[in-house]
Amino acid sequence: EVQLVESGGGLVQPGGSLRLSCAASGFSFSSYWMYWVRQAPGKGLVWVARIFNDGSMTNYADSVKGRFTISRDNAKNTLYLQMNSLRAEDTAVYYCTRVIVTGTPAFAYWGQGTLVTVSS
Amino acid sequence: QSALTQPASVSGSPGQSITISCIGTSSDVGAYNHVSWYQQHPGKAPKLMIYDVSNRPSGVSNRFSGSKSGNTASLTISGLQAEDEGDYYCCSYKSGSAPYVFGTGTKVTVL
């Protein structure tokens, strides 16, 4: 069974940093591109970042480019999101997600999410 | 990166059919057959309901169907049931360095 478990969320001041983790199990983690998607309280889903299976390429939403870094450790089956220069508008539940099958851009597996609150 | 446009709310009585539209552009919905739909209940993670415009993942009821015409994708729920209440989001692959865009979301209410 595919499982994705996020951790690392919490309260941080504007301008601060936080690193999210996503522990993956139940599938060959090193074979899949991985993604982060976020959802502000009461708002819709927003795609945040993508990383290729070997970490060779990454993509970001314009709103986080230059501030967030997605990375992975295939030996530990873990995905990361390093978030720097955090702003109030980054407050959201952050989901780690995986596509249904390689090559089909549909998010079939989701973690439970971890809440990041940016506030003074 | 403008979100895809969905109606804010759609409602129907049990047993009826409803359709949710998802309006994009020639750079996303119109360009690729990679439109997916997600159902989300309060406090829960989204659930994939349709992928690649009209394909259902294993375990998703055949009451859910998807289609696309030009820059507009649609999700139809037939035989509406109380458990179908929730928020629904479309998502499309798109050209550019940020390759995914979600819709604005639609709240489905079963009357």
Side-chain angles (χ1 to χ4, degrees):
Chain A
E1 178 192 5
V2 173
Q3 283 202 323
L4 300 169
V5 180
E6 302 96 336
S7 60
L11 175 64
V12 61
Q13 292 189 338
S17 297
L18 211 55
R19 188 177 83 156
L20 306 183
S21 299
C22 171
S25 61
F27 66 102
S28 178
F29 180 71
S30 61
S31 298
Y32 287 86
W33 299 1
M34 295 296 295
Y35 304 77
W36 287 99
V37 172
R38 71 183 182 183
Q39 186 171 35
K43 301 297 185 181
L45 300 170
V46 176
W47 176 82
V48 173
R50 171 180 75 178
I51 186 167
F52 281 18
N53 59 306
D54 60 359
S56 62
M57 182 168 288
T58 58
N59 301 92
Y60 300 91
D62 288 347
S63 57
V64 307
K65 197 175 297 182
R67 301 187 299 121
F68 289 13
T69 302
I70 187 172
S71 63
R72 63 192 297 160
D73 185 336
N74 285 345
K76 294 183 177 180
N77 290 346
T78 303
L79 176 72
Y80 302 101
L81 186 67
Q82 177 67 43
M83 303 184 295
N84 298 330
S85 303
L86 282 162
R87 307 166 180 168
E89 54 265 36
D90 296 318
T91 294
V93 173
Y94 285 75
Y95 294 102
C96 162
T97 179
R98 196 209 89 177
V99 294
I100 187 168
V101 292
T102 300
T104 300
F107 307 114
Y109 301 97
W110 298 69
Q112 83 286 355
T114 187
L115 176 63
V116 173
T117 303
V118 184
S119 175
S120 55
Chain B
Q1 291 172 305
S2 297
L4 307 175
T5 301
Q6 298 179 232
S9 63
V10 173
S11 62
S13 299
Q16 286 187 330
S17 294
I18 61 170
T19 296
I20 303 168
S21 60
C22 171
I23 302 172
T25 69
S26 57
S27 295
D28 39 61
V29 175
Y32 303 95
N33 286 324
H34 290 314
V35 177
S36 50
W37 290 89
Y38 303 84
Q39 176 193 66
Q40 188 179 34
H41 291 131
K44 300 295 186 182
K47 176 185 177 182
L48 178 65
M49 306 302 286
I50 295 287
Y51 68 95
D52 286 353
V53 177
S54 60
N55 294 299
R56 275 188 312 276
S58 175
V60 172
S61 170
N62 59 8
R63 297 186 299 104
F64 292 85
S65 61
S67 62
K68 190 187 87 167
S69 178
N71 296 338
T72 300
S74 299
L75 174 72
T76 297
I77 308 175
S78 304
L80 201 60
Q81 299 180 0
E83 67 207 49
D84 300 332
E85 276 204 346
D87 295 323
Y88 289 80
Y89 296 91
C90 61
C91 181
S92 177
Y93 189 78
K94 61 186 279 292
S95 58
S97 60
Y100 303 91
V101 57
F102 281 93
T104 51
T106 298
K107 183 176 183 60
V108 168
T109 302
V110 181
L111 302 172

